[in-house]
Amino acid sequence: MKDIGIFYSFRSVKTGQQVKKISKQLGADQIKLMDIDVATKADFLQFTNYILAVPTWFDGELPNYWDEFLPSIEKEDLKGKNIAIFGGGDQKGYPENFVDGIGLMASILEAKNATIVGFTSTEGYTFEQSRAQRGNQLVGLALDIENQAALIDERIKNWVESLKKEFK
Ligand SMILES: Cc1cc2nc3c(=O)[nH]c(=O)nc-3n(C[C@H](O)[C@H](O)[C@H](O)COP(=O)(O)O)c2cc1C
């Protein structure tokens, strides 16, 4: 397995805690932690394997920092890049927009020919609607601190094990 870039906002405390767990599970020597608040196009394009932290904000939208970064890679072809997405979401508070940010990001990157990896089962979550849902899967890992904090460690462990097989 080659390099893995983990992109997230260093200002986000909750997401930062999740990244720490994911990094530990992956093995520290293979990964680079990248701050999306200051990352440039060149910073982003250097990897083959990616983990993007995309919590859902507002009513089913991307966080501001992703909205601000994405135009810089608007014209890029991401063919050959393997991208896994995870993010916080609240299935009780936002059942009609549960982890929409994960789904929005997956669609944007697929339109640039990236390969999205790290799909998970919808089993164990209760919600009405999600842009991240495809059939009985989510296009990434949903972490619900508000309602299912006790399940987070196990979910991360299983997800990272599957990524180890999918990353190139
Ligand atoms: C104002 C606000 C809006 C939110 N909107 C959504 C939403 O639409 N869908 C969802 O699944 N979670 C939503 N959440 C829950 C967050 O995604 C969740 O708390 C996440 O862990 C936040 O991570 P962060 O603090 O690292 O950005 C919202 C939380 C807040 C405070």
Side-chain angles (χ1 to χ4, degrees):
M1 195 183 353
K2 286 191 205 149
D3 53 300
I4 303 167
I6 305 185
F7 287 80
Y8 70 107
S9 169
F10 285 18
R11 284 185 295 177
S12 172
V13 177
K14 281 195 221 167
T15 296
Q17 288 165 348
Q18 294 159 3
V19 166
K20 218 168 169 185
K21 290 180 182 180
I22 288 170
S23 307
K24 202 171 157 199
Q25 193 72 33
L26 268 171
D29 49 338
Q30 290 161 326
I31 58 171
K32 259 195 183 168
L33 301 183
M34 306 293 293
D35 187 358
I36 198 62
D37 286 312
V38 294
T40 62
K41 178 169 90 173
D43 291 333
F44 190 83
L45 294 176
Q46 66 181 305
F47 297 98
T48 306
N49 301 304
Y50 294 78
I51 295 177
L52 309 186
V54 187
T56 302
W57 283 16
F58 310 108
D59 282 326
E61 291 178 43
L62 294 176
N64 291 343
Y65 48 83
W66 278 114
D67 271 337
E68 282 158 21
F69 174 77
L70 285 171
S72 70
I73 56 162
E74 198 172 23
K75 295 197 176 74
E76 299 302 321
D77 186 352
L78 302 180
K79 193 166 190 295
K81 298 198 178 287
N82 308 301
I83 304 183
I85 306 166
F86 80 94
D90 174 353
Q91 61 202 286
K92 277 197 186 145
Y94 300 87
E96 291 171 0
N97 302 95
F98 181 51
V99 292
D100 274 1
I102 293 176
L104 286 169
M105 183 61 90
S107 299
I108 289 166
L109 299 172
E110 281 173 331
K112 300 182 197 305
N113 303 317
T115 303
I116 305 300
V117 299
F119 285 28
T120 59
S121 171
T122 55
E123 213 178 299
Y125 300 93
T126 305
F127 57 90
E128 286 163 33
Q129 215 169 293
S130 172
R131 281 193 169 100
Q133 185 173 6
R134 291 192 195 160
N136 59 5
Q137 290 193 303
L138 298 171
V139 296
L141 175 67
L143 297 176
D144 186 338
I145 306 174
E146 279 83 0
N147 309 294
Q148 295 182 327
L151 300 180
I152 283 180
D153 288 4
E154 183 69 14
R155 281 176 170 162
I156 286 177
K157 187 166 163 266
N158 293 336
W159 192 59
V160 169
E161 289 314 307
S162 81
L163 293 185
K164 283 179 181 170
K165 293 181 203 127
E166 290 188 274
F167 278 154
K168 301 278 187 310

XYZ file of all heavy atoms in Angstrom, residues 18-113:
757
model
N -11.710 11.570 15.856
C -11.970 10.409 15.000
C -10.758 10.111 14.118
O -10.391 8.949 13.923
C -13.220 10.667 14.147
C -14.484 10.766 14.985
C -15.616 11.502 14.273
O -15.508 11.907 13.135
N -16.716 11.685 14.982
N -10.129 11.164 13.604
C -8.937 10.981 12.766
C -7.828 10.290 13.560
O -7.137 9.411 13.044
C -8.444 12.342 12.216
C -7.036 12.224 11.632
C -9.412 12.887 11.175
N -7.693 10.653 14.811
C -6.678 10.049 15.667
C -6.883 8.528 15.751
O -5.943 7.737 15.646
C -6.783 10.669 17.060
C -5.461 10.900 17.738
C -5.682 11.771 18.959
C -4.459 11.836 19.836
N -4.724 12.579 21.074
N -8.132 8.145 15.960
C -8.450 6.707 16.051
C -8.193 5.996 14.721
O -7.665 4.881 14.680
C -9.926 6.523 16.447
C -10.205 6.942 17.874
C -11.666 6.748 18.238
C -11.923 7.224 19.669
N -13.316 7.065 20.077
N -8.596 6.628 13.641
C -8.406 6.030 12.314
C -6.914 5.875 12.018
O -6.467 4.818 11.549
C -9.105 6.898 11.236
C -10.624 6.749 11.361
C -8.637 6.509 9.837
C -11.437 7.726 10.529
N -6.129 6.909 12.337
C -4.686 6.863 12.074
C -4.020 5.734 12.847
O -3.177 5.005 12.322
C -4.017 8.172 12.506
O -4.667 9.254 11.929
N -4.393 5.592 14.101
C -3.818 4.569 14.960
C -4.098 3.176 14.377
O -3.230 2.307 14.334
C -4.434 4.697 16.355
C -3.588 4.098 17.431
C -4.117 4.445 18.810
C -3.649 3.423 19.832
N -4.462 3.456 21.041
N -5.316 2.995 13.934
C -5.738 1.717 13.367
C -5.007 1.408 12.054
O -4.705 0.265 11.752
C -7.251 1.784 13.122
C -7.916 0.465 12.840
C -8.010 -0.403 14.080
O -8.164 0.087 15.193
N -7.913 -1.706 13.879
N -4.720 2.444 11.282
C -4.062 2.255 9.990
C -2.586 1.903 10.141
O -2.022 1.178 9.329
C -4.155 3.548 9.173
C -5.332 3.723 8.234
C -5.331 5.153 7.713
C -5.321 2.746 7.076
N -1.948 2.469 11.123
C -0.495 2.336 11.242
C 0.136 3.652 10.829
O 0.009 4.074 9.689
N 0.835 4.289 11.766
C 1.223 5.688 11.610
C 2.195 5.978 10.473
O 2.195 7.069 9.927
C 1.825 6.186 12.918
N 3.006 5.002 10.082
C 4.039 5.333 9.102
C 3.506 5.553 7.689
O 4.184 6.125 6.862
C 5.120 4.245 9.098
C 4.530 2.856 9.008
O 3.350 2.693 9.367
O 5.245 1.946 8.565
N 2.288 5.131 7.422
C 1.801 5.237 6.050
C 1.003 6.507 5.780
O 0.597 6.740 4.650
C 0.868 4.060 5.747
C 1.603 2.756 5.648
C 0.654 1.601 5.811
O -0.315 1.672 6.547
N 0.922 0.538 5.089
N 0.757 7.282 6.805
C -0.211 8.348 6.606
C 0.366 9.747 6.812
O 1.322 9.955 7.540
C -1.416 8.187 7.553
C -0.923 8.180 8.993
C -2.199 6.951 7.245
C -2.047 8.251 9.977
N -0.280 10.686 6.117
C 0.052 12.100 6.301
C -1.230 12.819 6.663
O -2.238 12.689 5.950
C 0.578 12.676 4.992
C 2.053 12.811 4.926
C 2.403 13.730 3.764
C 3.884 13.862 3.593
N 4.248 14.513 2.336
N -1.187 13.573 7.762
C -2.362 14.346 8.161
C -2.300 15.715 7.499
O -1.288 16.424 7.584
C -2.396 14.506 9.689
C -2.438 13.210 10.489
C -2.533 13.515 11.979
C -3.617 12.335 10.066
N -3.363 16.090 6.811
C -3.371 17.320 6.015
C -4.534 18.211 6.459
O -5.673 17.734 6.570
C -3.553 16.966 4.534
C -2.547 15.956 3.980
S -0.843 16.576 3.906
C -1.003 17.836 2.670
N -4.220 19.486 6.666
C -5.247 20.430 7.129
C -5.968 21.054 5.928
O -5.372 21.828 5.186
C -4.583 21.527 7.960
C -5.592 22.455 8.611
O -6.806 22.277 8.385
O -5.157 23.352 9.349
N -7.221 20.706 5.753
C -7.980 21.191 4.595
C -8.200 22.709 4.653
O -8.462 23.343 3.633
C -9.314 20.412 4.452
C -9.895 20.582 3.044
C -10.310 20.771 5.517
C -9.037 20.063 1.935
N -8.046 23.284 5.823
C -8.198 24.744 5.918
C -7.095 25.493 5.157
O -7.293 26.636 4.755
C -8.170 25.200 7.387
C -9.474 24.857 8.100
O -10.533 25.154 7.547
O -9.407 24.283 9.197
N -5.936 24.853 5.007
C -4.827 25.543 4.341
C -4.274 24.767 3.138
O -3.345 25.224 2.476
C -3.666 25.831 5.340
C -4.112 26.814 6.404
C -3.152 24.559 5.977
N -4.821 23.592 2.838
C -4.280 22.745 1.774
C -4.437 23.406 0.399
O -5.452 24.025 0.100
C -4.977 21.392 1.777
N -3.403 23.228 -0.432
C -3.456 23.728 -1.806
C -3.809 22.567 -2.736
O -3.811 21.400 -2.322
C -2.082 24.256 -2.235
O -1.154 23.157 -2.191
C -1.615 25.372 -1.308
N -4.024 22.907 -3.998
C -4.279 21.876 -5.008
C -3.117 20.868 -5.047
O -3.343 19.663 -5.068
C -4.456 22.552 -6.369
C -4.678 21.593 -7.487
C -5.113 22.317 -8.736
C -3.932 22.728 -9.570
N -4.344 23.286 -10.875
N -1.891 21.366 -5.023
C -0.713 20.479 -5.057
C -0.663 19.568 -3.829
O -0.327 18.386 -3.939
C 0.565 21.309 -5.150
N -1.010 20.110 -2.676
C -1.067 19.279 -1.455
C -2.039 18.125 -1.664
O -1.779 16.985 -1.281
C -1.578 20.100 -0.259
C -0.596 21.155 0.207
O 0.612 20.963 0.012
O -1.059 22.169 0.777
N -3.144 18.438 -2.285
C -4.199 17.440 -2.441
C -3.816 16.378 -3.466
O -4.046 15.198 -3.248
C -5.516 18.115 -2.838
C -6.698 17.184 -2.783
C -7.353 16.932 -1.577
C -7.159 16.541 -3.923
C -8.434 16.061 -1.512
C -8.252 15.664 -3.868
C -8.882 15.441 -2.659
N -3.215 16.815 -4.571
C -3.035 15.893 -5.694
C -1.891 14.901 -5.507
O -1.731 13.987 -6.301
C -2.831 16.691 -6.990
C -4.057 17.489 -7.435
C -3.732 18.318 -8.681
C -5.254 16.575 -7.704
N -1.088 15.041 -4.450
C 0.112 14.205 -4.319
C -0.149 12.752 -3.912
O 0.750 11.925 -3.986
C 1.070 14.842 -3.311
C 0.510 14.872 -1.896
C 1.452 15.523 -0.888
O 2.597 15.124 -0.751
N 0.968 16.534 -0.186
N -1.356 12.413 -3.520
C -1.610 11.065 -2.976
C -2.274 10.115 -3.979
O -2.814 10.542 -4.995
C -2.500 11.176 -1.731
C -1.858 11.948 -0.613
C -2.145 13.294 -0.413
C -0.942 11.340 0.238
C -1.541 14.017 0.610
C -0.327 12.051 1.268
C -0.627 13.383 1.451
N -2.197 8.833 -3.653
C -2.940 7.814 -4.398
C -4.164 7.398 -3.592
O -5.223 7.128 -4.124
C -2.067 6.554 -4.623
O -0.864 6.964 -5.246
C -2.785 5.532 -5.498
N -3.987 7.343 -2.278
C -5.068 6.930 -1.371
C -5.439 8.067 -0.425
O -4.550 8.735 0.107
C -4.621 5.723 -0.537
C -4.231 4.547 -1.398
O -5.016 4.091 -2.218
N -3.011 4.059 -1.221
N -6.730 8.223 -0.238
C -7.220 9.352 0.554
C -8.261 8.916 1.572
O -9.091 8.033 1.296
C -7.952 10.359 -0.352
C -7.088 11.044 -1.367
C -6.704 10.387 -2.525
C -6.680 12.359 -1.175
C -5.910 11.025 -3.463
C -5.893 13.003 -2.122
C -5.506 12.327 -3.260
O -4.723 12.954 -4.180
N -8.236 9.604 2.711
C -9.378 9.556 3.622
C -9.796 11.006 3.834
O -8.981 11.839 4.254
C -9.008 8.892 4.966
C -8.646 7.424 4.743
C -10.176 9.008 5.950
C -8.180 6.682 6.000
N -11.038 11.315 3.528
C -11.547 12.672 3.688
C -12.567 12.701 4.822
O -13.486 11.873 4.862
C -12.237 13.167 2.403
C -11.463 13.025 1.094
C -12.237 13.689 -0.043
C -10.066 13.601 1.198
N -12.388 13.637 5.730
C -13.352 13.811 6.817
C -14.380 14.855 6.392
O -14.039 16.011 6.179
C -12.628 14.273 8.077
N -15.623 14.397 6.278
C -16.684 15.290 5.802
C -17.913 15.187 6.713
O -18.865 14.453 6.413
C -17.074 14.942 4.344
C -18.057 15.983 3.810
C -15.860 14.861 3.443
N -17.897 15.889 7.843
C -19.119 15.928 8.656
C -20.193 16.719 7.907
O -19.863 17.487 6.999
C -18.676 16.674 9.923
C -17.478 17.465 9.521
C -16.807 16.707 8.409
N -21.442 16.477 8.256
C -22.532 17.207 7.594
C -22.928 18.416 8.428
O -23.133 18.301 9.636
C -23.758 16.291 7.384
O -23.335 15.173 6.596
C -24.879 17.031 6.665
N -23.014 19.559 7.760
C -23.360 20.811 8.428
C -24.698 21.340 7.909
O -25.199 20.890 6.874
C -22.281 21.855 8.172
C -21.024 21.695 8.990
C -20.613 20.580 9.690
C -19.995 22.673 9.161
N -19.404 20.819 10.289
C -18.999 22.090 9.985
C -19.815 23.964 8.695
C -17.837 22.788 10.358
C -18.667 24.657 9.066
C -17.693 24.071 9.888
N -25.191 22.322 8.583
C -26.438 23.006 8.175
C -27.549 21.959 8.021
O -27.635 21.058 8.850
C -26.199 23.833 6.904
C -24.989 24.714 7.010
C -23.826 24.432 6.305
C -24.976 25.794 7.875
C -22.695 25.223 6.422
C -23.846 26.604 8.007
C -22.702 26.309 7.270
N -28.363 22.073 6.964
C -29.331 21.000 6.706
C -28.846 20.193 5.511
O -29.250 20.417 4.372
C -30.724 21.578 6.445
C -31.406 21.983 7.746
O -31.172 21.302 8.763
O -32.150 22.977 7.746
N -27.973 19.243 5.786
C -27.499 18.362 4.732
C -26.503 18.995 3.791
O -26.550 18.750 2.579
N -25.567 19.766 4.311
C -24.583 20.394 3.424
C -23.150 20.088 3.836
O -22.893 19.589 4.929
C -24.819 21.902 3.390
C -26.116 22.246 2.669
C -26.384 23.731 2.670
O -25.441 24.503 2.449
O -27.544 24.105 2.907
N -22.226 20.416 2.940
C -20.802 20.266 3.239
C -20.359 21.347 4.223
O -20.908 22.447 4.213
C -19.975 20.429 1.955
C -20.131 19.390 0.857
C -19.296 19.807 -0.349
C -19.714 18.006 1.342
N -19.341 21.058 5.024
C -18.767 22.120 5.861
C -18.184 23.228 4.977
O -17.728 22.960 3.865
C -17.642 21.406 6.611
C -17.964 19.962 6.535
C -18.692 19.760 5.245
N -18.156 24.438 5.498
C -17.627 25.586 4.742
C -16.238 25.323 4.177
O -15.935 25.716 3.063
C -17.527 26.827 5.642
C -18.895 27.336 6.012
O -19.888 26.983 5.376
N -18.951 28.158 7.032
N -15.361 24.671 4.979
C -13.973 24.514 4.524
C -13.874 23.633 3.282
O -13.012 23.850 2.443
C -13.067 24.031 5.659
C -13.566 22.851 6.465
C -13.396 21.555 6.042
C -14.225 23.054 7.683
C -13.841 20.477 6.800
C -14.672 21.988 8.445
C -14.492 20.697 7.994
O -14.952 19.640 8.746
N -14.766 22.672 3.137
C -14.761 21.874 1.897
C -15.322 22.680 0.735
O -14.806 22.624 -0.380
C -15.535 20.558 2.076
C -14.723 19.475 2.729
C -14.921 18.899 3.941
C -13.544 18.845 2.188
N -13.959 17.959 4.202
C -13.104 17.895 3.145
C -12.825 18.986 1.002
C -11.970 17.102 2.943
C -11.692 18.192 0.803
C -11.275 17.262 1.765
N -16.379 23.419 0.980
C -16.930 24.281 -0.073
C -15.874 25.248 -0.597
O -15.831 25.557 -1.778
C -18.108 25.100 0.464
C -19.424 24.355 0.299
O -19.492 23.469 -0.580
O -20.362 24.655 1.054
N -15.021 25.717 0.306
C -13.997 26.675 -0.102
C -12.840 25.997 -0.837
O -12.243 26.575 -1.730
C -13.479 27.439 1.128
C -14.454 28.526 1.555
C -14.289 28.950 3.007
O -13.209 28.726 3.587
O -15.272 29.497 3.566
N -12.544 24.749 -0.482
C -11.421 24.050 -1.127
C -11.780 23.498 -2.514
O -10.953 23.548 -3.448
C -10.928 22.890 -0.242
C -9.885 22.065 -0.926
C -8.577 22.526 -1.022
C -10.213 20.849 -1.518
C -7.618 21.799 -1.700
C -9.253 20.108 -2.197
C -7.950 20.584 -2.280
N -12.976 22.967 -2.662
C -13.311 22.203 -3.875
C -13.110 22.949 -5.204
O -12.658 22.336 -6.176
C -14.736 21.645 -3.777
C -14.869 20.445 -2.824
C -16.332 20.080 -2.596
C -14.101 19.228 -3.354
N -13.372 24.259 -5.276
C -13.132 24.944 -6.559
C -11.678 24.842 -7.037
O -11.427 24.855 -8.238
C -13.504 26.403 -6.247
C -14.502 26.293 -5.147
C -14.042 25.139 -4.310
N -10.741 24.663 -6.110
C -9.335 24.596 -6.523
C -9.021 23.301 -7.286
O -8.024 23.220 -7.999
C -8.398 24.754 -5.322
O -8.456 23.614 -4.498
N -9.848 22.282 -7.150
C -9.607 21.041 -7.925
C -10.712 20.802 -8.953
O -10.850 19.706 -9.502
C -9.453 19.793 -7.012
C -10.672 19.607 -6.096
C -8.177 19.886 -6.191
C -10.782 18.196 -5.508
N -11.449 21.860 -9.239
C -12.610 21.755 -10.131
C -12.272 21.113 -11.474
O -13.015 20.302 -11.991
C -13.150 23.166 -10.361
C -14.564 23.199 -10.895
C -15.084 24.632 -10.904
O -14.244 25.577 -10.929
O -16.291 24.818 -10.867
N -11.128 21.467 -12.029
C -10.793 21.014 -13.390
C -9.905 19.775 -13.382
O -9.459 19.335 -14.444
C -10.100 22.145 -14.140
C -11.017 23.339 -14.360
C -10.465 24.251 -15.437
C -11.420 25.389 -15.734
N -11.435 26.413 -14.667
N -9.641 19.201 -12.227
C -8.721 18.061 -12.145
C -9.403 16.744 -12.471
O -10.561 16.537 -12.131
C -8.107 17.978 -10.744
C -7.301 19.184 -10.339
C -6.142 19.475 -11.283
O -5.492 18.512 -11.739
O -5.893 20.656 -11.561
N -8.622 15.860 -13.117
C -9.081 14.496 -13.345
C -8.501 13.637 -12.212
O -7.277 13.578 -12.051
C -8.580 14.001 -14.702
C -9.141 12.638 -15.049
O -9.801 12.002 -14.184
O -8.923 12.182 -16.180
N -9.357 13.004 -11.431
C -8.897 12.236 -10.277
C -8.856 10.726 -10.565
O -8.915 9.905 -9.660
C -9.773 12.541 -9.063
C -9.829 14.018 -8.636
C -10.745 14.191 -7.419
C -8.438 14.574 -8.331
N -8.724 10.361 -11.826
C -8.648 8.954 -12.212
C -7.456 8.298 -11.497
O -6.378 8.885 -11.431
C -8.464 8.847 -13.720
C -8.669 7.473 -14.266
C -8.808 7.530 -15.784
C -9.259 6.225 -16.365
N -8.345 5.130 -16.218
N -7.667 7.083 -10.971
C -6.583 6.369 -10.299
C -6.459 6.707 -8.822
O -5.642 6.137 -8.112
N -7.277 7.645 -8.351
C -7.224 8.002 -6.933
C -8.334 7.271 -6.169
O -9.479 7.247 -6.612
C -7.354 9.515 -6.771
C -6.186 10.235 -7.451
C -6.021 11.626 -6.993
C -4.837 12.321 -7.642
N -3.521 11.854 -7.144
N -7.928 6.660 -5.068
C -8.866 5.886 -4.242
C -9.232 6.710 -3.023
O -8.363 7.015 -2.214
C -8.221 4.574 -3.801
C -7.671 3.831 -4.993
O -8.414 3.506 -5.912
N -6.375 3.611 -5.011
N -10.501 7.030 -2.926
C -10.890 7.997 -1.896
C -11.971 7.418 -0.983
O -13.030 6.986 -1.449
C -11.402 9.305 -2.553
C -10.320 9.869 -3.492
C -11.772 10.321 -1.468
C -10.660 11.190 -4.146
N -11.642 7.391 0.299
C -12.603 6.951 1.316
C -13.100 8.178 2.076
O -12.319 9.093 2.339
C -11.922 5.979 2.278
N -14.372 8.177 2.398
C -14.967 9.340 3.066
C -15.628 8.893 4.368
O -16.326 7.883 4.396
C -16.049 9.981 2.157
C -15.473 10.297 0.771
C -16.610 11.254 2.798
C -16.532 10.614 -0.273
N -15.373 9.661 5.426
C -16.132 9.420 6.652
C -16.602 10.762 7.178
O -16.130 11.824 6.762
C -15.302 8.690 7.713
C -14.371 9.582 8.482
C -14.763 10.124 9.700
C -13.122 9.895 7.986
C -13.910 10.965 10.417
C -12.270 10.734 8.687
C -12.666 11.266 9.901
N -17.553 10.711 8.107
C -17.981 11.980 8.667
C -19.013 11.811 9.757
O -19.745 10.817 9.820
N -19.050 12.813 10.634
C -20.045 12.835 11.686
C -21.413 13.171 11.125
O -21.551 13.872 10.117
N -22.425 12.633 11.783
C -23.806 12.915 11.440
C -24.685 12.556 12.613
O -24.250 11.821 13.508
N -25.868 13.088 12.614
C -26.798 12.907 13.746
C -28.122 12.368 13.201
O -28.923 13.106 12.651
C -26.960 14.276 14.434
C -28.009 14.293 15.542
O -28.728 13.284 15.709
O -28.126 15.327 16.216
N -28.307 11.058 13.359
C -29.472 10.412 12.725
C -30.794 10.766 13.391
O -31.840 10.715 12.743
C -29.284 8.894 12.655
C -29.128 8.204 13.979
C -28.433 6.864 13.843
O -29.014 5.905 13.364
N -27.179 6.776 14.275
N -30.746 11.134 14.682
C -31.999 11.520 15.355
C -32.315 12.989 15.101
O -33.462 13.366 14.884
C -31.892 11.270 16.866
C -32.191 9.845 17.216
C -32.494 9.693 18.701
C -32.640 8.225 19.073
N -32.129 7.941 20.409
N -31.312 13.821 15.158
C -31.505 15.257 14.976
C -31.785 15.642 13.531
O -32.511 16.598 13.267
N -31.189 14.899 12.604
C -31.299 15.233 11.178
C -31.642 13.980 10.354
O -30.899 13.592 9.449
C -29.991 15.849 10.678
C -29.628 17.123 11.404
C -28.897 17.085 12.591
C -30.040 18.365 10.933
C -28.575 18.251 13.289
C -29.729 19.531 11.613
C -29.000 19.472 12.788
O -28.684 20.622 13.463
N -32.791 13.333 10.651
C -33.095 12.054 9.988
C -33.344 12.179 8.479
O -33.232 11.192 7.756
C -34.376 11.590 10.700
C -34.974 12.832 11.269
C -33.822 13.730 11.612
N -33.632 13.387 8.009
C -33.877 13.542 6.561
C -32.620 13.946 5.805
O -32.631 14.034 4.573
C -34.974 14.591 6.329
C -36.327 14.099 6.804
C -37.382 15.188 6.781
O -37.062 16.320 6.390
O -38.515 14.894 7.177
N -31.567 14.219 6.548
C -30.303 14.646 5.910
C -29.114 13.913 6.505
O -28.012 14.446 6.557
C -30.067 16.154 6.134
C -31.195 16.993 5.610
O -32.105 17.368 6.342
N -31.161 17.276 4.334
N -29.348 12.687 6.936
C -28.302 11.996 7.689
C -27.040 11.804 6.820
O -27.112 11.232 5.730
C -28.818 10.656 8.208
C -27.796 9.886 9.012
C -27.120 10.483 10.066
C -27.500 8.573 8.708
C -26.163 9.805 10.804
C -26.557 7.860 9.446
C -25.894 8.484 10.487
N -25.927 12.267 7.323
C -24.612 12.237 6.647
C -24.676 12.572 5.144
O -23.937 12.010 4.334
C -23.829 10.909 6.881
C -23.410 10.790 8.330
C -24.613 9.678 6.461
N -25.533 13.509 4.790
C -25.614 13.942 3.386
C -24.254 14.390 2.854
O -23.956 14.211 1.672
C -26.578 15.131 3.247
C -28.026 14.693 3.081
O -28.287 13.465 3.099
O -28.893 15.578 2.928
N -23.446 14.981 3.720
C -22.135 15.480 3.290
C -21.293 14.372 2.654
O -20.587 14.604 1.662
N -21.364 13.167 3.207
C -20.602 12.043 2.645
C -21.064 11.768 1.214
O -20.259 11.580 0.305
C -20.769 10.779 3.533
C -20.111 10.998 4.897
C -20.199 9.549 2.839
C -20.309 9.837 5.890
N -22.377 11.768 1.021
C -22.932 11.499 -0.311
C -22.621 12.614 -1.300
O -22.298 12.349 -2.473
N -22.713 13.858 -0.833
C -22.400 14.990 -1.719
C -20.953 14.906 -2.183
O -20.647 15.058 -3.367
C -22.607 16.310 -0.968
C -24.046 16.750 -0.714
C -24.069 17.922 0.274
C -24.717 17.144 -2.025
N -20.066 14.648 -1.249
C -18.644 14.579 -1.593
C -18.367 13.416 -2.550
O -17.623 13.567 -3.523
C -17.812 14.424 -0.317
C -16.331 14.427 -0.552
S -15.732 15.955 -1.297
C -15.355 16.915 0.153
N -18.968 12.264 -2.297
C -18.756 11.106 -3.171
C -19.180 11.441 -4.608
O -18.453 11.148 -5.566
C -19.537 9.893 -2.648
N -20.317 12.097 -4.767
C -20.807 12.414 -6.123
C -19.885 13.406 -6.824
O -19.596 13.256 -8.014
C -22.215 13.009 -6.057
O -23.090 12.069 -5.483
N -19.424 14.399 -6.094
C -18.528 15.407 -6.683
C -17.240 14.730 -7.181
O -16.757 14.992 -8.276
C -18.190 16.499 -5.637
C -19.425 17.375 -5.387
C -16.998 17.348 -6.070
C -19.325 18.270 -4.151
N -16.691 13.825 -6.369
C -15.416 13.191 -6.721
C -15.582 12.141 -7.819
O -14.714 11.990 -8.676
C -14.770 12.577 -5.476
C -14.440 13.601 -4.375
C -13.988 12.902 -3.106
C -13.383 14.594 -4.845
N -16.704 11.449 -7.803
C -16.963 10.469 -8.871
C -17.083 11.169 -10.227
O -16.663 10.627 -11.251
C -18.248 9.697 -8.571
C -18.037 8.610 -7.534
C -19.333 7.934 -7.093
O -20.400 8.598 -7.131
O -19.271 6.761 -6.713
N -17.642 12.367 -10.218
C -17.758 13.131 -11.469
C -16.376 13.505 -12.011
O -16.225 13.820 -13.182
C -18.589 14.384 -11.238
N -15.355 13.461 -11.147
C -13.979 13.723 -11.570
C -13.214 12.406 -11.751
O -11.985 12.374 -11.696
C -13.261 14.581 -10.519
C -13.904 15.941 -10.274
C -13.079 16.728 -9.246
C -13.877 17.868 -8.679
N -14.410 18.760 -9.711
N -13.926 11.303 -11.859
C -13.349 9.978 -12.136
C -12.586 9.333 -10.989
O -11.836 8.378 -11.198
C -12.430 10.020 -13.375
C -13.168 10.524 -14.582
O -14.319 10.126 -14.821
N -12.567 11.426 -15.341
